[in-house]
Amino acid sequence: MNAERATPGLLDGLLKERCGSSVAELVEDVHLDGDETFFWSGSWVEGFANSRSDLDLYLITSDPRRTSGVPQVTGPGMPAMYMTLTPGRTKIDLTVVPVELLVTLNAFLTAFNGETDYPTAWSDNFREFVHRLSIGVPLANAERFGEIQSSVDFTKFRQYLMRFHQNRADGLFDDAQGLLEEGDVISAYFVARQRVEAAVDMYLAAHGETNTRVDKWRWKKLKRLLTGDASLAERFLECEALGGTLPGDVSFLTQRCLQFGDEIILQAI
């Protein structure tokens, strides 16, 4: 599934199945005003959703009265985004994004030089929002959504992500070498795995996959990108201690890990 197939009609069916609602009722509940726009994005639009995936919605507004939810940090000197609840609905995540945040984003990307500039520390949620804006499906005021989407330089955003992940990979390399030198080979291995993941995220960004921060989608995106060349995917699995090909007992291993996680949580509480 992708943004071409993820239509408001599909969302309409999901809403009816989950909470007996519809896109029209949802839009009415949000009470759009003026130049506000409302769009759908996330795992369903990406094509990675399953039965437990959330419905991720975004409202872009210039009305400060809208920003009354839980603030989410975005980046240094940038306005916050706000997580809120859609009135009367369940299993729906609505994030309110002030227009001022997009103005700040565009100013940063316009000035950003992917070869020399340091990638400022944006939050994971904000990087995810920029990606989700690039694939979003408008639910109301589509013309305004198109204006906002076309104003963002997503090529520069990919360059930013590449620099961000490269810097992280460089730092992890030094960490792994230091741990090897002190003889802590187990910690060094875990750090080396993190470096591989950062390198894969950089590779994905270089090939247009800008939602590389979500660990749960890394393998899906890499596998989708490397449909004609399995060698990189196999080496990634080797570094992740799964071997060059997926063994038949991965499901059993997953259940063991989930059970171990439960035990750790119980010990913690």
Side-chain angles (χ1 to χ4, degrees):
M1 186 187 304
N2 53 43
E4 295 178 355
R5 295 175 56 190
T7 63
L10 173 61
L11 178 59
D12 210 52
L14 291 168
L15 288 170
K16 289 177 181 176
E17 177 183 331
R18 292 190 174 195
C19 51
S21 184
S22 67
V23 170
E25 290 173 303
L26 192 64
V27 171
E28 184 178 356
D29 280 348
V30 174
H31 300 295
L32 290 179
D33 193 18
D35 64 351
E36 294 178 333
T37 188
F38 186 47
F39 70 95
W40 175 37
S41 197
S43 55
W44 285 98
V45 178
E46 289 270 14
F48 297 148
N50 55 50
S51 62
R52 301 194 182 195
S53 296
D54 294 332
L55 301 177
D56 298 294
L57 304 171
Y58 293 85
L59 170 66
I60 299 177
T61 180
S62 58
D63 187 348
R65 294 172 297 180
R66 292 283 202 175
T67 55
S68 59
V70 179
Q72 297 181 330
V73 174
T74 53
M78 289 182 162
M81 302 187 299
Y82 295 84
M83 178 67 75
T84 185
L85 297 176
T86 306
R89 305 300 179 214
T90 58
K91 298 185 178 179
I92 299 172
D93 291 334
L94 174 61
T95 300
V96 178
V97 181
V99 169
E100 292 81 4
L101 179 58
L102 292 165
V103 172
T104 310
L105 166 68
N106 289 337
F108 174 87
L109 291 177
T110 297
F112 183 72
N113 185 323
E115 295 182 359
T116 60
D117 289 350
Y118 185 83
T120 188
W122 292 348
S123 71
D124 289 344
N125 285 337
F126 182 51
R127 283 194 294 270
E128 182 178 58
F129 162 72
V130 179
H131 165 73
R132 287 181 171 181
L133 176 64
S134 73
I135 63 168
V137 177
L139 302 176
N141 206 347
E143 183 176 354
R144 175 61 175 155
F145 174 80
E147 292 173 357
I148 291 173
Q149 189 183 55
S150 62
S151 71
V152 177
D153 190 337
F154 293 107
T155 298
K156 284 282 192 76
F157 177 56
R158 288 195 295 272
Q159 293 172 3
Y160 162 84
L161 284 177
M162 288 173 64
R163 287 281 290 170
F164 173 82
H165 294 305
Q166 183 178 10
N167 284 6
R168 183 167 184 268
D170 290 345
L172 289 167
F173 177 83
D174 290 337
D175 291 340
Q177 292 296 333
L179 288 163
L180 285 173
E181 289 173 6
E182 72 175 72
D184 188 349
V185 294
I186 300 297
S187 293
Y189 167 68
F190 285 128
V191 171
R193 272 179 40 168
Q194 292 179 57
R195 183 174 188 264
V196 167
E197 291 166 359
V200 166
D201 287 348
M202 180 183 175
Y203 179 85
L204 289 170
H207 289 80
E209 291 282 10
T210 53
N211 187 22
T212 54
R213 81 94 170 173
V214 183
D215 294 344
K216 61 185 176 181
W217 302 140
R218 184 181 288 119
W219 169 244
K220 283 181 175 290
K221 285 181 173 288
L222 185 62
K223 186 170 61 171
R224 181 169 69 180
L225 184 62
L226 299 176
T227 52
D229 180 9
S231 60
L232 282 178
E234 291 174 356
R235 293 179 64 191
F236 175 71
L237 291 177
E238 288 174 356
C239 288
E240 295 291 298
L242 285 176
T245 57
L246 288 174
D249 62 349
V250 169
S251 178
F252 175 71
L253 177 62
T254 300
Q255 292 300 327
R256 281 184 58 190
C257 288
L258 290 173
Q259 182 179 2
F260 179 59
D262 289 343
E263 293 173 8
I264 294 295
I265 291 170
L266 289 174
Q267 290 286 344
I269 59 176

